Each structure stands twice: as C-alpha cells, then as structure tokens.
Amino acid sequence: MYCRVFIMYEYRDFSKSRRNIMFSSTAFDYINVLDKAADASWLRNSTLVNNIANATTPDYKRHDVDFQSLLEMELMDSKYNRNLDSRVHNVHMNHLTAIAKLDTSSDMFSYREDGNNVDIHLENVELASERLRYQGLTDSISQEFTRMRTALGK
C-alpha cells in the first residue's frame, strides 16, 4: 500500500534561544487540494442550480465556475515538475480560489427572444455531472484519511 507521508524536521532560530525541533508535513497536501476542489465543486453546483432557477428570467446570463483550469495552471506552473507529489506540495492554496463568473463562452449564443442564454437541458446535465464529481472528491478525501490512519497503525 502506498501512503504519501513525508515528515521533514527542521530547526528554527528565534533570536537568542534555539527552539525545540518543529516539524512540517506534506501529508495533507493532497487533502488540501482535494478540499479546495470540493469547495469549487460545491460552488459550481450552487451556480448551476441558480442558472436553472433563472431559466425563465428575461435577459439573465448563464454563470459558471472554472476550477479545473485554475488547478491545471497551478500544477503546471510549479518549478518542481518532476512528479505529481512535488507539484501538489508546491501548489499555492491561495491561488486555488474558485469564483462564479459570467459565462462568456455562451454569452453571444442566446437563441431565445428574451435574451436569456440558459439551456435548461444542458444545465441539468452539468448539474448531474457536478454532483458525481463532488461525490468523487469527498470519497477521495475520505480515502486519504483512511490511508493516513492505516499508516499510523490505527
């Protein structure tokens, strides 16, 4: 069984006295990234539900959340492109903040006279897909904690 637990010990010098050994761990790197992805998935789910609720609102424009491109860009921008573990370790979590934006890709394609560009069928398909993605993310987080418990012998 493979477990991603790496502990690094380091000394810190705080002015006059040397403190005890502190440790930092990379054990939570994947969990942190999965947590950000789950938050983004939840936001996208809410955004899609909002789109469906406004499907009959005149001049309403579709919104969407694009977390996948943020994550891909952050993983590829890493200076340490040797392997996935090092790329995930070097991800800046503050760069992985998903927001709901006006969907500019479908902005010009309103086929309705009222100016609304929400396709209710597409939104329902996207919503079902997003619910599956969220379930997969939460399962992955749970599996990471199970691996950590196994590694600790509990």
Side-chain angles (χ1 to χ4, degrees):
M1 176 182 284
Y2 175 69
C3 187
R4 297 177 195 97
V5 177
F6 172 78
I7 297 179
M8 175 178 64
Y9 293 95
E10 57 188 38
Y11 287 97
R12 300 278 183 176
D13 187 9
F14 297 100
S15 66
K16 298 178 184 177
S17 65
R18 192 169 276 266
R19 297 274 178 154
N20 292 334
I21 295 174
M22 301 178 69
F23 78 24
S24 63
S25 172
T26 62
F28 291 100
D29 291 343
Y30 281 89
I31 294 171
N32 291 336
V33 171
L34 289 169
D35 181 51
K36 286 286 195 173
D39 288 346
S41 180
W42 185 264
L43 177 62
R44 184 158 192 255
N45 183 74
S46 300
T47 303
L48 293 169
V49 167
N50 190 47
N51 287 344
I52 291 169
N54 285 292
T56 59
T57 304
D59 294 319
Y60 178 82
K61 301 299 180 197
R62 180 181 192 278
H63 291 76
D64 204 355
V65 175
D66 184 20
F67 179 77
Q68 185 174 345
S69 64
L70 282 174
L71 181 59
E72 285 175 4
M73 189 170 35
E74 188 63 27
L75 288 174
M76 293 304 137
D77 281 350
S78 176
K79 293 183 267 185
Y80 307 99
N81 284 330
R82 292 177 295 233
N83 61 34
L84 185 60
D85 288 341
S86 62
R87 284 186 271 166
V88 169
H89 176 67
N90 291 295
V91 166
H92 300 285
M93 290 298 152
N94 57 343
H95 294 174
L96 296 179
T97 304
I99 57 172
K101 295 182 181 177
L102 187 65
D103 185 9
T104 56
S105 65
S106 64
D107 192 30
M108 302 302 290
F109 302 109
S110 179
Y111 60 89
R112 295 170 37 180
E113 289 182 15
D114 65 358
N116 188 314
N117 67 349
V118 174
D119 180 349
I120 193 75
H121 302 294
L122 175 65
E123 297 300 317
N124 281 316
V125 169
E126 290 291 327
L127 183 61
S129 173
E130 200 58 43
R131 288 182 177 166
L132 290 172
R133 180 176 293 118
Y134 184 78
Q135 182 65 43
L137 288 166
T138 56
D139 286 348
S140 294
I141 292 169
S142 177
Q143 289 172 11
E144 287 292 323
F145 280 116
T146 300
R147 284 186 193 102
M148 291 177 76
R149 279 194 299 273
T150 302
L152 295 172
K154 296 192 179 203

